[in-house]
Amino acid sequence: MKKKFIILSPKDIQNQKHTLTMADFIPLFDYIERKSSVTLSEDERNLIMTKLKSKKLRKRQYFLHEGDVCKYMGFIVKGATRMFAVDEKGHEYILHFGLEDWWVGDYESFYLLTPSKYYVEALEDVEMILITNDQLQELARTIPAIAAMLDSLNRGATIANNKRMHAAISLTAEERYEDLARTYPHFLQRFPQNMIASYLGISPETLSRIRKAAVK
């Protein structure tokens, strides 16, 4: 069966914009300060507010479509997403999940302005704050906390990618599940079993067997 995509047009995005208040930005401000260990001044907070905009996605809507350039990264205020690829046979492979206080998007496409190889889909109704690459670089030059946040994100992404590759090469299916349960236990509550299996690179049947054995 051909997959039906719900993709937002520029008009859809415009219709979903609303005037943001300081309260809308509190999760992002807290995140920046936590990642950077630098306190934002009132002027810096106001500058961020003037630059960025919001976006809402309904469940099953797409933030990014394969072949499109990822013009925005989205900071999730509420909701959940998945980033996945589809092979020539139509099989889906989940690379990342996104939850509150996470950034979502294709970093390679975002920074290089190349067509993305991935889809990003809302798994729940999502509220997010958007930033373009130009806005991000401008704010990083102007606000030390943003620059420090980017350094922290880049280090974290490198470590996470290395751990993911090591798990795929060296760990058994059981060990991958146990590692996920330790590192991201909330994934097991927020995402269905078939998606968890795809993320781990195992079949739903194998995941079911592992979970049953874990509760014995």
Side-chain angles (χ1 to χ4, degrees), residues 29 36 58 73 79 87 102 112 115 122 127 137 153 190 197-198:
F29 294 153
S36 67
R58 297 187 304 275
M73 294 298 292
D87 67 17
W102 289 29
L112 301 181
E127 298 176 10
Q137 299 309 318
L153 283 175
R190 294 287 290 272
S198 176

Side-chain angles (χ1 to χ4, degrees), residues 22-196:
M22 180 67 74
D24 294 312
F25 278 91
I26 291 300
L28 177 59
F29 294 153
D30 289 345
Y31 176 90
I32 293 169
E33 292 182 345
R34 187 168 66 252
K35 288 293 184 180
S36 67
S37 300
V38 178
T39 301
L40 292 166
S41 69
E42 183 176 350
D43 286 344
E44 289 171 336
R45 291 184 175 220
N46 287 331
L47 177 60
I48 293 170
M49 287 180 60
T50 63
K51 295 292 184 181
L52 309 188
K53 63 183 180 181
S54 69
K55 181 176 182 177
K56 292 184 178 181
L57 296 173
R58 297 187 304 275
K59 182 178 179 179
R60 300 303 303 275
Q61 281 188 316
Y62 278 69
F63 177 70
L64 180 65
H65 190 277
E66 179 187 19
D68 290 344
V69 173
C70 184
K71 296 180 180 180
Y72 300 95
M73 294 298 292
F75 177 79
I76 301 177
V77 176
K78 179 181 178 182
T81 64
R82 64 169 180 151
M83 177 171 151
F84 66 98
V86 180
D87 67 17
E88 64 278 2
K89 296 181 179 179
H91 298 141
E92 297 178 359
Y93 300 89
I94 296 177
L95 285 79
H96 301 290
F97 290 114
L99 291 170
E100 291 85 359
D101 286 357
W102 289 29
W103 290 95
V104 62
D106 178 356
Y107 283 98
E108 180 180 352
S109 176
F110 178 73
Y111 283 117
L112 301 181
L113 298 180
T114 53
S116 178
K117 305 177 185 70
Y118 309 111
Y119 301 90
V120 176
E121 178 189 25
L123 298 178
E124 304 168 359
D125 290 346
V126 171
E127 298 176 10
M128 60 173 62
I129 295 173
L130 302 181
I131 190 167
T132 66
N133 191 16
D134 287 344
Q135 290 169 338
L136 182 60
Q137 299 309 318
E138 178 186 353
L139 290 174
R141 289 191 297 268
T142 308
I143 301 174
I146 299 290
M149 178 198 74
L150 282 179
D151 287 341
S152 177
L153 283 175
N154 289 335
R155 288 195 302 272
T158 299
I159 292 170
N161 287 335
N162 287 341
K163 287 183 65 177
R164 190 84 190 274
M165 286 188 291
H166 175 265
I169 296 169
S170 304
L171 301 186
T172 65
E174 289 80 5
E175 289 170 335
R176 275 177 270 164
Y177 176 78
E178 291 168 1
D179 181 64
L180 179 69
R182 284 193 304 268
T183 309
Y184 302 113
H186 44 293
F187 280 13
L188 305 182
Q189 283 75 50
R190 294 287 290 272
F191 304 116
Q193 183 166 309
N194 66 313
M195 291 188 183
I196 294 292

